[in-house]
Amino acid sequence: MENDVKVDEKVEEADRLLPPHSLPSNSDEDESEAAFESRDKIVIVDFESADDPSAAAPPFSWRKLWLFTGPGFLMSIAFLDPGNLEGDLQAGAIAGYSLLWLLMWATAMGLLIQMLSARVGVATGRHLAELCRDEYPTWARYVLWSMAEIALIGADIQEVIGSAIAIQILSRGVLPLWAGVVITASDCFLFLFLENYGVRKLEAMFAVLIATMGLSFAWMFGETKPSGKELMIGILLPRLSSKTIRQAVGVVGCVIMPHNVFLHSALVQSRQIDPKRKSRVQEALNYYLIESSVALFISFLINLFVTTVFAKGFYGTEKANNIGLVNAGQYLQEKFGGGLLPILYIWGIGLLAAGQSSTITGTYAGQFIMGGFLNLRLKKWMRAVITRSCAIVPTMIVAIVFNTSEASLDVLNEWLNVLQSVQIPFALLPLLTLVSKEEVMGDFKIGPVLQRIAWTVAALVMIINGYLLLDFFVSEVNGFMFGVTVCVWTSAYVAFIVYLISHSNFFPSPWSSSSIELPKRVTVSDS
């Protein structure tokens, strides 16, 4: 008990003695929009050696792990948004249990990409959008920003529509889709309200929403009783057939969300870490790896619950090819009914939690993307309102125009999935370029082995999404003028990807030098 009191006294003393100007900074950061103000950051105190700046990183501490817990769970919400849930239910209905192994490995690939994003944020003290602003010439920077904003708007439309569908379910159809969109838009003000009370309050709210999703979908799992044997075979035995290739591509494609890569590199800066002290940076990365792994394991379980419930109920039935986010709740109700609480409303509660949490993180990501690329110095409420308006206006149009039938919303969702797939290289390639550069990362530049693994994962994700795009356009593109337009845009798209790859250190070329030379990062040893 006395030890806890002493620890609390040290935390309070650190809050008093550590003024904002004591944080490490450089001239660029002083003039730039910071991800978090100094007063908003959580102080990480070295409980065993708070007064000794030359001490090595202390051993593992559960209390310190608790202080670092938060950013990984906010990041994991992108793995649980309504678009992912729709991919899960369609994979279960059409492929049964056979793609569970792919879901597991896709989540592991997502963890690798997100930890590289966290590595950039912790080691440099700046987030990915800020670093891209310095790394690329003006024209490329604006293209990257435009692509990130388009990806964010596309994701937000799916998330807001998902919330609106859930509100429609829970209101028993009284509230139309557009009313649900208006209600969901108000989450911007909830976000601003909670952010004023500190990042820990915001993280607590997301923990409640994730717990709501977990309990809702676990309840569905318990009610429907999927086959445990088939579940284990699906996880341990890789299987893939020509009939389920599209669902397999969807499972992998949903893992990497472009805005989430930018978001995680900013979220990790909510903890006060001295990037000049190697052992403290490494310690932070270790704790972030633990909490992100736990967060993504929970997200994997939730995705697994959804997939297996729909595999149990609809695999091999005539409804399997027609099921989507709009009619999923009704199909569940017809198949399983409900005991104490009808399964339709359990699904609606889980879907609402997924939609609300993902729209708020989208607002959060939009602030960092806009502020980082454009170096805008705006008040938080102004940035949040601008970011929210960019997404809500097109979403409202979508809700009104596409509310005519279930089929029209499903077609829209397919186009939005394609939009997300198109944007993936514009987040992955800058990340891999920056995390491999010594002048940016210092001693925390990734080594050759990790570089090869990361580039292999990135190539795999881009090839899979390329297949999805090809398959989609072959089936959907009709007419000469539309075909010519698609070809022109595809050529420009491929050319810009080639530029980004050539700009990286992994593939040396005449383009690989940055237009803006960053000063070589100096790492100060702890000794």
Side-chain angles (χ1 to χ4, degrees):
M1 191 71 179
E2 291 180 3
N3 290 336
D4 289 340
V5 172
K6 289 179 180 178
V7 166
D8 292 335
E9 288 175 350
K10 284 187 174 182
V11 173
E12 292 175 2
E13 184 180 1
D15 284 328
R16 291 195 305 270
L17 299 180
L18 195 55
H21 64 261
S22 66
L23 289 172
S25 63
N26 55 40
S27 58
D28 290 336
E29 288 175 294
D30 292 338
E31 298 174 359
S32 300
E33 178 75 12
F36 292 90
E37 298 293 337
S38 301
R39 63 179 179 274
D40 296 332
K41 293 188 177 184
I42 297 170
V43 178
I44 305 297
V45 178
D46 299 319
F47 300 119
E48 294 84 355
S49 55
D51 299 325
D52 184 3
S54 65
F60 176 82
S61 164
W62 287 103
R63 185 182 292 271
K64 190 174 284 189
L65 177 60
W66 172 248
L67 291 176
F68 276 105
T69 298
F73 283 89
L74 267 69
M75 169 273 295
S76 72
I77 287 170
F79 290 69
L80 298 168
D81 70 356
N84 276 280
L85 297 183
E86 182 160 36
D88 292 337
L89 65 89
Q90 289 176 342
I94 296 173
Y97 300 88
S98 65
L99 297 180
L100 293 179
W101 66 275
L102 189 59
L103 175 63
M104 179 180 69
W105 284 107
T107 304
M109 288 193 299
L111 176 62
L112 171 63
I113 297 301
Q114 293 302 148
M115 285 314 301
L116 291 179
S117 175
R119 190 183 189 94
V120 167
V122 174
T124 66
R126 307 175 73 196
H127 58 82
L128 183 59
E130 291 178 304
L131 292 169
C132 287
R133 187 180 71 231
D134 289 343
E135 175 68 20
Y136 294 97
T138 302
W139 70 269
R141 185 177 77 219
Y142 279 108
V143 172
L144 287 173
W145 169 65
S146 301
M147 295 298 101
E149 290 289 354
I150 291 171
L152 182 60
I153 291 171
D156 216 19
I157 290 174
Q158 286 183 306
E159 293 155 1
V160 173
I161 292 295
S163 289
I165 291 171
I167 292 170
Q168 195 172 48
I169 291 172
L170 295 175
S171 69
R172 298 186 177 186
V174 172
L175 294 175
L177 206 61
W178 65 264
V181 171
V182 173
I183 294 171
T184 305
S186 64
D187 65 15
C188 173
F189 302 102
L190 176 63
F191 163 76
L192 288 171
F193 174 77
L194 287 175
E195 194 178 27
N196 287 332
Y197 286 90
V199 69
R200 290 301 262 182
K201 302 295 188 300
L202 194 64
E203 291 170 353
M205 185 197 69
F206 283 111
V208 170
L209 290 171
I210 292 173
T212 302
M213 278 186 273
L215 290 173
S216 299
F217 298 133
W219 188 326
M220 287 172 52
F221 183 84
E223 286 282 325
T224 57
K225 297 179 176 61
S227 170
K229 179 181 177 182
E230 289 293 329
L231 188 154
M232 293 306 298
I233 292 174
I235 291 175
L236 300 176
L237 182 63
R239 290 176 292 172
L240 190 63
S241 70
S242 58
K243 295 180 180 179
T244 60
I245 188 67
R246 188 162 189 172
Q247 284 67 47
V249 169
V251 167
V252 178
C254 288
V255 166
I256 308 298
M257 300 290 284
H259 71 273
N260 206 39
V261 177
F262 289 99
L263 176 64
H264 201 196
S265 65
L267 290 176
V268 294
Q269 293 174 48
S270 60
R271 273 59 177 173
Q272 194 164 275
I273 302 161
D274 186 350
K276 294 182 180 179
R277 300 184 66 178
K278 181 178 177 181
S279 63
R280 297 305 183 266
V281 173
Q282 186 59 58
E283 180 190 41
L285 292 175
N286 293 341
Y287 281 116
Y288 281 135
L289 175 60
I290 295 171
E291 70 113 15
S292 296
S293 299
V294 172
L296 288 190
F297 177 70
I298 293 172
S299 76
F300 167 71
L301 289 180
I302 293 174
N303 285 314
L304 181 143
F305 290 155
V306 175
T307 303
T308 52
V309 164
F310 284 87
K312 167 74 174 181
F314 305 103
Y315 177 57
T317 67
E318 293 181 358
K319 294 180 178 179
N321 290 315
N322 300 321
I323 198 164
L325 207 60
V326 179
N327 56 21
Q330 192 59 46
Y331 280 9
L332 284 170
Q333 186 66 21
E334 292 172 2
K335 180 71 176 180
F336 298 108
L340 181 63
L341 185 64
I343 198 168
L344 170 65
Y345 299 119
I346 300 173
W347 167 254
I349 291 169
L351 181 60
L352 182 62
Q356 286 293 323
S357 58
S358 55
T359 52
I360 297 175
T361 54
T363 303
Y364 220 7
Q367 293 188 65
F368 296 130
I369 289 170
M370 182 177 291
F373 276 110
L374 304 183
N375 195 21
L376 294 179
R377 300 182 63 83
L378 299 174
K379 293 181 179 180
K380 287 182 179 180
W381 69 267
M382 179 78 69
R383 284 187 299 173
V385 169
I386 292 174
T387 304
R388 208 81 205 93
S389 300
C390 289
I392 289 299
V393 171
T395 304
M396 183 63 73
I397 295 171
V398 163
I400 295 172
V401 173
F402 286 86
N403 195 30
T404 54
S405 69
E406 295 176 1
S408 62
L409 277 174
D410 288 337
V411 170
L412 170 68
N413 194 61
E414 285 189 19
W415 277 95
L416 291 175
N417 284 335
V418 169
L419 181 66
Q420 291 292 311
S421 300
V422 166
Q423 308 303 328
I424 285 176
F426 305 132
L428 275 186
L429 294 177
L431 173 65
L432 296 183
T433 297
L434 290 163
V435 82
S436 304
K437 296 188 74 167
E438 187 175 358
E439 55 266 40
V440 175
M441 299 293 295
D443 290 343
F444 290 94
K445 164 193 171 184
I446 60 174
V449 174
L450 188 54
Q451 279 191 52
R452 291 188 183 93
I453 294 173
W455 277 97
T456 300
V457 169
L460 180 63
V461 170
M462 287 189 288
I463 289 171
I464 288 174
N465 281 282
Y467 173 86
L468 177 64
L469 292 174
L470 181 63
D471 178 67
F472 180 80
F473 282 122
V474 166
S475 60
E476 296 292 332
V477 173
N478 297 307
F480 176 75
M481 290 305 298
F482 189 30
V484 170
T485 303
V486 169
C487 288
V488 171
W489 279 103
T490 301
S491 300
Y493 173 79
V494 171
F496 190 57
I497 290 178
V498 170
Y499 166 77
L500 292 176
I501 293 174
S502 302
H503 189 90
S504 71
N505 288 341
F506 195 69
F507 301 98
S509 89
W511 287 347
S512 61
S513 58
S514 301
S515 65
I516 301 176
E517 289 294 329
L518 296 176
K520 184 178 177 64
R521 182 174 174 78
V522 178
T523 302
V524 179
S525 66
D526 293 315
S527 59

